[in-house]
Amino acid sequence: MSYLPNLRHLRYLVALHDHQSFSRAAAACFVSQSTLSAGIRELELALGVAVAERNKRSVRIAPIGHHLAARARRLLRDAEDLVALGRDAAQPMSGIVQMGVLPTIAPYLLPRVIRALGQRFPRLRLVLREDKTRHLLDQLADGRLDLVLMAFPYDTPGMESFMLFDDAYRYVSACGSQALAPGLRAFDPGDVADGDRLLLLEHDHCLHSHALPALQRAAETEHASFSSTSLHTLVAMVAEGMGSTFLPDLAINGGIIDGSDVVVRPLGDDANARSIGLCWRRNAARADSYRALGAFLSEWAAENVKPWTAGRD
């Protein structure tokens, strides 16, 4: 009977692949460096191949090591799903859920809903990680996350999604801006005058990639400037008269413009809202629990997440 590597050794391999360092990999696995090194050697003897090239100063993952680490990651994810399936059957909506969330959502939604979530599911513990959409989805696919709270539309092959609520965009400019003169109708990209700057987030940020016609047209104008990774930074720049921007209702109602000398106006009728939703791996062991979580969040949002209306800014 051939030798089968144990899960502990596979975890060591994945950690070494991720950290490219025996010391950092050992720290991530909460073992000593000698223990991790011994485990990697045992795995190499069992597989009959070296997974890493070592010297006194560095470690380099061998080409075969990359392939083995990818397979090991999938095996570990399946093993974790097996345990999660049993636990979820015994105690639904309990235990730890690793959830990724966008920085354009987390500070404006989670502080409001966490208390209600804890009251509804007291045995459920959310461990949160903020990052950009693509990074979060990569971690979800690798099994490093269970769920992602994100904004759609976004291509999510191999995933299941649950829509929670829509989040419309508004045009935000400094008080006294020429583009926001009294009586101006809903914003149109043509309203941006010569010399005005449209401040947007980075190209790979979800607020730029969504199918929002007004944003897409405006982003293509000669006035567009992709200049920030933070909505707070955009608001500060707008308040100082450095340009104008687009913000979602969730951030506006969450207080991001409070105390700032800015004005909010609606977009045209063809401006689509982004949709906030949950995303998880298709056929995930705890998919029923994720749907139950989505149903609760959707019900909560219907009562607590309201669109911005004129006069509230």
Side-chain angles (χ1 to χ4, degrees), residues 248-266:
D249 280 351
L250 198 60
I252 296 172
N253 293 335
I256 193 171
I257 65 171
D258 290 356
S260 298
D261 195 19
V262 300
V263 178
V264 181
R265 290 292 183 272

Side-chain angles (χ1 to χ4, degrees), residues 166-202:
D166 288 339
D167 189 24
Y169 293 94
R170 313 295 170 180
Y171 182 68
V172 180
S173 183
C175 290
S177 168
Q178 181 179 352
L180 290 177
L184 184 69
R185 300 185 309 274
F187 171 77
D188 182 270
D191 294 328
V192 179
D194 291 340
D196 288 346
R197 295 179 64 200
L198 186 61
L199 306 174
L200 303 174
L201 295 177
E202 293 177 320

Side-chain angles (χ1 to χ4, degrees), residues 93 120-121 162 280 287-297:
M93 301 304 294
R120 178 64 179 84
F121 304 116
F162 191 110
W280 59 86
D288 286 344
S289 289
Y290 302 153
R291 294 186 193 102
L293 177 62
F296 168 78
L297 292 174

